[in-house]
Amino acid sequence: TSSRTRKTGGGGYSRKSKFKGPPVQRQPLKRRDYEVELNSRLGKTQVVTPIAPLSQQAGYFCSVCKCVVKDSANYLDHINGKKHQRALGMSMRVERASLQQVQERFEALKKRKVEGVFTEQDLDERTQKQQQEEEEHKRQRREKKKEKKREKSKEEESEEVDPDVAELMGFGGFGSSKKSA
């Protein structure tokens, strides 16, 4: 044999087909019909043991893929990723929308927008109301400060020490750095 001939043995020159059947037809990608709860464990303390089942370990548990993801950003990446979508039976391709579907979607969005229409007058009223609330809050803060000052001055008046008693106790006065000669 020539040195230019290819070996078909174990040298890796030939490719073996791993055809196992017809390709799997998956559904096109579609919107989630549920809300992702990322704040469900926020601020809670949990004791984690090494023998705990996956669903009770620290982090976010994916019941579809049976894995634990340590933080919310990676969890979102996981549920939007190829592996998770394939486990749900979806491909990563989006179904092409028809003109009629797009027009219906625009109409639905217009109807939703009309219900919450804001005019300039509404905006002016809201800003004016907010300014009034801020002024009222400032006024209340000023009154509280004045009242605290009054209470403090009353306490100081009642706490004044008789100079004879102060001298007997060993101090001449407070707040003065001048020395008497």
Side-chain angles (χ1 to χ4, degrees), residues 11-142:
Y13 291 106
S14 69
R15 292 185 180 179
K16 292 185 180 181
S17 175
K18 294 184 179 181
F19 186 72
K20 295 182 180 179
V24 178
Q25 188 67 24
R26 300 186 194 283
Q27 295 176 343
L29 197 62
K30 57 184 175 181
R31 285 174 68 164
R32 266 192 299 274
D33 56 354
Y34 61 92
E35 188 72 27
V36 179
E37 291 186 32
L38 297 177
N39 297 331
S40 62
R41 295 186 190 180
L42 189 63
K44 293 184 180 177
T45 305
Q46 181 179 4
V47 177
V48 180
T49 61
I51 58 172
L54 282 175
S55 62
Q56 295 176 358
Q57 288 185 1
Y60 295 92
F61 177 69
C62 176
S63 59
V64 175
C65 303
K66 299 196 178 14
C67 65
V68 176
V69 185
K70 297 297 179 186
D71 61 6
S72 61
N74 286 330
Y75 180 67
L76 284 174
D77 287 343
H78 169 75
I79 63 174
N80 292 328
K82 186 185 285 187
K83 179 183 174 188
H84 183 80
Q85 296 301 328
R86 285 215 172 150
L88 289 174
M90 288 188 242
S91 69
M92 293 304 286
R93 293 198 169 95
V94 181
E95 185 178 8
R96 190 166 172 93
S98 68
L99 177 62
Q100 184 180 1
Q101 289 174 328
V102 173
Q103 288 173 340
E104 289 172 359
R105 181 81 173 150
F106 277 138
E107 289 300 319
L109 291 173
K110 282 182 186 178
K111 288 179 184 176
R112 192 170 79 185
K113 187 177 178 184
V114 169
E115 292 173 3
V117 172
F118 289 109
T119 62
E120 288 185 34
Q121 184 180 6
D122 292 340
L123 183 62
D124 292 339
E125 289 174 5
R126 287 175 60 192
T127 54
Q128 189 176 20
K129 184 177 179 182
Q130 187 176 7
Q131 287 175 351
Q132 288 174 352
E133 288 175 358
E134 287 176 4
E135 289 174 6
E136 179 69 22
H137 184 66
K138 287 180 183 179
R139 187 183 60 77
Q140 289 175 353
R141 284 178 43 201
R142 279 190 227 118

